[in-house]
Amino acid sequence: MEAAPLASLSLTHVDYNPADRISYLCAWLALVPQALCVIYATLIWSNREIEIFLMFAGQMACEALNWVLKRYIKEERPREMHGKGYGMPSSHAQFVTFFSVTLALFLLFRHVPHPTDTHTPLSLVGRFLLSLVAVACAGAVAGSRIYLSYHTPKQVIVGCFAGAGFALAWFGFTTYLRRAGWIEWVLETYAMRMLRVRDLVIQEDLVDSGWARWEDRRKRQSFQVQGKKSR
């Protein structure tokens, strides 16, 4: 009996030129969407923030849109990558553009962190610079798809426009949900309260989350130790 032929799990399979260092770097950049999904899952599990839930939901909806567009347009990839699925628009470019534009919109228009006794949050200028870094990183990932010949420049550009357009639409939709009170209503449901989902990141830095409580705990422990020594 002949063994069945093995299949390749192409989730992280990237073709690159081993003699080209830039090609090697681009191969790593191709893994950014998978890394972002891990970051999403980690933050959702550890912070339980509704804003991160919303952003991840938008990210998955954007991926679904890309799946539909590719099968509607049915444009092949460049000649070097024929047979590896449709290429219009680039899913990598659309994914990272949605992420970077959504993050920038959040940092510049929705995130209003308040300073505390233990932490001074980023200023608007700092958040703007962070947004530029996110957009630049997205540009590097998008450009890597052209360098590796997975997509034509047109496919990448269309992917970027699709990701940015969907990010703007999703941000507007979630803004409506907040202003209409739907987010507050969802947070009061039994399921959300059981999962301990909250909405603090609008006014609180993730860096500061729990830090004030930790500092208070350390001070109490220090006072207790000093009290025991003074006896």
Side-chain angles (χ1 to χ4, degrees), residues 46-222:
S46 60
N47 293 101
R48 312 295 176 95
E49 284 286 340
I50 189 68
E51 188 67 25
I52 301 175
F53 274 97
L54 290 172
M55 188 172 176
F56 183 62
Q59 191 81 71
M60 293 299 98
C62 188
E63 278 294 283
L65 173 64
N66 180 267
W67 188 89
V68 171
L69 289 175
K70 279 188 174 182
R71 282 150 185 80
Y72 177 76
I73 299 173
K74 296 182 179 180
E75 182 173 300
E76 293 289 343
R77 294 179 185 269
R79 178 177 53 82
E80 297 87 345
M81 296 297 169
H82 268 201
K84 295 193 174 184
Y86 298 122
M88 173 65 84
S90 165
S91 58
H92 276 72
Q94 189 169 328
F95 189 105
V96 295
T97 301
F98 174 88
F99 176 82
S100 62
V101 172
T102 301
L103 179 62
L105 291 170
F106 169 74
L107 291 174
L108 298 177
F109 299 105
R110 187 172 291 170
H111 186 47
V112 188
H114 296 325
T116 65
D117 295 336
T118 59
H119 178 67
T120 301
L122 283 175
S123 63
L124 180 61
V125 174
R127 299 200 299 275
F128 176 74
L129 292 176
L130 183 59
S131 301
L132 290 181
V133 170
V135 171
C137 290
V141 174
S144 72
R145 305 305 288 170
I146 300 174
Y147 194 89
L148 292 174
S149 298
Y150 273 88
H151 294 283
T152 65
K154 182 178 69 172
Q155 291 170 352
V156 167
I157 291 172
V158 173
C160 289
F161 272 104
F166 195 84
L168 290 169
W170 188 256
F171 189 79
F173 174 64
T174 55
T175 298
Y176 162 76
L177 292 179
R178 284 188 172 278
R179 292 180 178 177
W182 286 105
I183 298 299
E184 189 64 30
W185 178 83
V186 168
L187 289 172
E188 291 298 323
T189 60
Y190 177 77
M192 292 297 102
R193 292 188 64 80
M194 284 292 293
L195 293 172
R196 298 190 176 186
V197 178
R198 46 192 177 266
D199 192 22
L200 294 176
V201 75
I202 299 296
Q203 297 180 335
E204 179 183 287
D205 269 5
L206 285 177
V207 175
D208 195 41
S209 179
W211 180 255
R213 295 191 298 275
W214 170 246
E215 286 291 282
D216 289 340
R217 179 180 174 183
R218 289 184 63 190
K219 289 178 182 178
R220 288 196 301 270
Q221 290 175 339
S222 178

Side-chain angles (χ1 to χ4, degrees), residues 24-35:
Y24 180 68
L25 174 61
C26 289
W28 280 101
L29 288 173
L31 303 181
V32 167
Q34 288 91 331

Side-chain angles (χ1 to χ4, degrees), residues 32-44:
V32 167
Q34 288 91 331
L36 287 176
C37 286
V38 173
I39 292 172
Y40 272 124
T42 303
L43 289 175
I44 288 173

